[in-house]
Amino acid sequence: MNDLLFQEALQALPPVFREKHPVLAVQLGSGWQLPEGALKTVCEVSYADIPNLGGATVVSHAGTLRLCETASGARLLCWCGRRHWYEGCEWETVVMPAVLSHRLGCGTLLVTNAAGGIRPGLKPGDIVILKDHIRLSPLSPLRGPHNPAFGPRFPDQSAVYTPALRTLLHEAARCQGLELTEGVYVLSSGPTYETPAEIRAYGILGADLVGMSTVPEAMVASALGMQVAGVSFVSNLAAGISAEALDGNDVVDCARAHSGRLGRLLLDFIDRFTAAR
Ligand code: HPA
């Protein structure tokens, strides 16, 4: 990866971002948002004003970076929306939230997304904690000459999703009366949805969920030594599992209908995480 692109982005952030280490970075994917007014916003920057990141192009992705503070004074980075490889972005753009969070001194990243359900029994509205992922594509943001600033040459990926954070998510869900399961997420490059044959194959390979994001950021954050948690919101049944054709608008509508539950889970997790620090 080209380190200069991250350095330029970092320099463009207002100095308040460097005042105090954020304890947690949260990346909000399709349909995920924090309840309005739940956290104090210390500073907000549009992605469009961050060099080499650029404005979000996907409907329902706000495209703003918020520096937030909890009542106890803990700072958080909220990356509201993401850039995807299918938008034609460079890898540096896709993984910018993970790398910048790390450079700002943050040790933990929570990534969220909307995904198609593959595992029998999953239904729209379900929330699934990621226990692992499958990256079928040989593409990797870490390809290229080795730069130790991004971790070892061959980063271990045997526990990308930190068990203690998964436990904390389960506790938050229990407290909020939400049912959660765990699952394996497979990365699909997009922007097409998958074919029914692809979904059958992914299911045989052990995938429970399919989506077009999350894996690059999680891989890089893990290689950087960050603790990572991932949560998917099932916005639709994956191709061929129901007779319905897939439509991106349905994904957004489903996410909107469930945003209250997702926000409650996030806030409870944030409370528990910051209290434990
Ligand atoms: N496939 C890929 N990405 C997705 C899906 C899906 O079915 N739903 C939401 N994101």
Side-chain angles (χ1 to χ4, degrees):
M1 286 193 288
N2 181 354
D3 202 33
L4 282 177
L5 302 183
F6 299 113
Q7 290 173 28
E8 277 174 12
L10 199 58
Q11 277 161 16
L13 294 181
V16 67
F17 278 84
R18 282 176 284 275
E19 255 174 17
K20 188 172 169 185
H21 286 179
V23 292
L24 175 69
V26 182
Q27 178 147 43
L28 301 175
S30 300
W32 288 83
Q33 54 194 46
L34 282 168
E36 205 62 45
L39 296 172
K40 180 175 136 197
T41 300
V42 177
C43 186
E44 186 160 11
V45 181
S46 167
Y47 284 5
D49 294 328
I50 303 179
N52 313 313
L53 181 56
T57 68
V58 180
V59 184
S60 89
H61 286 238
T64 58
L65 166 59
R66 281 171 60 196
L67 177 64
C68 298
E69 198 164 82
T70 63
S72 63
R75 290 220 169 151
L76 260 72
L77 294 168
C78 289
W79 297 89
C80 309
R82 57 160 61 83
R83 306 299 317 276
H84 305 79
W85 187 77
Y86 66 73
E87 295 173 65
C89 305
E90 300 298 333
W91 278 126
E92 287 86 348
T93 298
V94 176
V95 302
M96 186 72 76
V99 176
L100 257 51
S101 299
H102 180 254
R103 298 247 165 126
L104 289 166
C106 183
T108 305
L109 176 67
L110 169 65
V111 277
T112 64
N113 61 52
I118 299 178
R119 184 174 70 211
L122 283 179
K123 53 185 189 317
D126 284 355
I127 306 175
V128 183
I129 299 176
L130 304 195
K131 61 178 178 193
D132 206 347
H133 67 231
I134 300 174
R135 176 178 59 99
L136 290 172
S137 153
L139 298 171
S140 168
L142 293 167
R143 175 182 176 273
H146 179 229
N147 179 348
F150 298 103
R153 170 74 288 191
F154 301 109
D156 174 48
Q157 299 269 278
S158 50
V160 171
Y161 301 94
T162 309
L165 296 177
R166 281 155 53 191
T167 303
L168 219 52
L169 280 163
H170 280 293
E171 287 170 8
R174 242 193 322 274
C175 180
Q176 293 299 320
L178 300 169
E179 266 184 40
L180 290 194
T181 58
E182 296 205 349
V184 173
Y185 177 99
V186 63
L187 173 66
S188 164
S189 57
T192 51
Y193 285 115
E194 303 69 35
T195 64
E198 284 167 344
I199 292 299
R200 278 195 299 279
Y202 297 166
I204 291 166
L205 288 176
D208 300 303
L209 304 150
V210 60
M212 303 175 194
S213 67
T214 301
V215 171
E217 301 97 302
M219 277 171 63
V220 168
S222 168
L224 287 168
M226 296 178 81
Q227 303 224 308
V228 181
V231 195
S232 289
F233 158 70
V234 178
S235 55
N236 57 284
L237 298 181
I241 293 186
S242 92
E244 309 255 313
L246 296 184
D247 180 337
N249 294 322
D250 295 343
V251 169
V252 174
D253 290 347
C254 181
R256 283 213 180 104
H258 290 275
S259 65
R261 292 164 65 233
L262 303 179
R264 272 174 29 227
L265 175 67
L266 279 179
L267 265 192
D268 198 302
F269 173 81
I270 289 169
D271 280 350
R272 275 162 211 279
F273 182 83
T274 51
R277 243 112 276 271

